Amino acid sequence: MVARAVGYLESARNLTGSVAALGGLALTFAGFAGAYWPVVVGGLYGAGALLAPPRRPPAPAFDDPSSRVEEVRADLVTLRAYLAGVDLPPAATERLAALTALLEGLLAPGWASEALAADPEGLHVVARAVRRDVPESVDTYLRTRWWTRLAPGARSPEEELERQVALLHGEAQGQVDGLREAEESRQRSHTRYLEDRGAGAAAPDGEGPRQPRHPEARKAPPEP
C-alpha cells in the first residue's frame, strides 16, 4: 500500500492534477471562485488527473520468433512481468490471465512442449502471440485509452482489447485442440491394434493359435 501511494504521488496523474488545482487556487485568490473554491479546486484536480496520460511501461522488445521452445518459455516469463505492471480493466486482466496460463501449459517442460516443438507451425503461432501479438494489443490499448478521454470513439478501447485477447485465446486453444486430437488418434490406433490382436488369437478349428503382431513389428528372419 505504501509503495502504491508513493507511486501515485509520483505519477503523471497526480502531478497534472496538482498543477490544475494550483490554477484553481490562483483563481480563488483572484476572487473568481468565491465561496465555492473547494469545489473549483477539487474539480480542476480531478479534471487534470483524468486528462493526464496514463502510466505506460515500455512493452518488452523481443527478438524475432525462434524455433526453440526454451527461448519462447523465457520470453513468456518476461511478458507476464510486463502485464503485471500495467493498468488494465478487470475483464481484460482475467482474459489475459487465461491466455497466458494456456500458453504456459503449452510451453511447460515435458511431453506437451516436446509435441509443440515437433510442430513448427504451432510453435510459430505461440511465439508470435508471446512476442508480438499480446504486447502490441496491450500497448496500443494504453495509447488509445488516453486519446479516447479527449475524443471518445465509436468503440471503447476496453472492448477492443477484450476482443483481441479473445481472438488470441481462441488461436492458442486451437493449438491445444490439435495436440489433443493427435494423442486421441494415437490412442484409437492402439485400441484397434488390441482389437485386431484379440481377433487374430481366435484361430479356426484344427489350427493353433495365431500369433498377432504389432503393426510396427518387423518380420522375423528365416531360419538357416
Side-chain angles (χ1 to χ4, degrees), residues 79-162:
L79 175 63
R80 299 191 73 163
Y82 164 70
L83 295 176
V86 296
D87 182 20
L88 298 174
T93 300
E94 293 179 2
R95 289 181 178 270
L96 281 170
L99 172 60
T100 53
L102 197 60
L103 295 173
E104 187 176 19
L106 284 169
L107 295 169
W111 65 267
S113 61
E114 293 173 359
L116 181 64
D119 181 11
E121 183 178 354
L123 181 57
H124 173 73
V125 170
V126 173
R128 182 179 58 192
V130 171
R131 291 171 165 166
R132 188 182 69 187
D133 293 335
V134 174
E136 184 173 351
S137 295
V138 174
D139 190 60
T140 53
Y141 160 75
L142 296 175
R143 293 172 181 268
T144 308
R145 180 178 61 176
W146 182 72
W147 290 107
T148 305
R149 292 174 180 175
L150 301 179
R155 190 171 184 177
S156 70
E158 290 76 12
E159 293 178 352
E160 199 71 33
L161 176 61
E162 292 176 19

Side-chain angles (χ1 to χ4, degrees), residues 23-34 36-38 40-41:
L25 288 175
L27 293 176
T28 300
F29 292 139
F32 292 102
Y36 299 99
W37 70 268
V40 173
V41 173

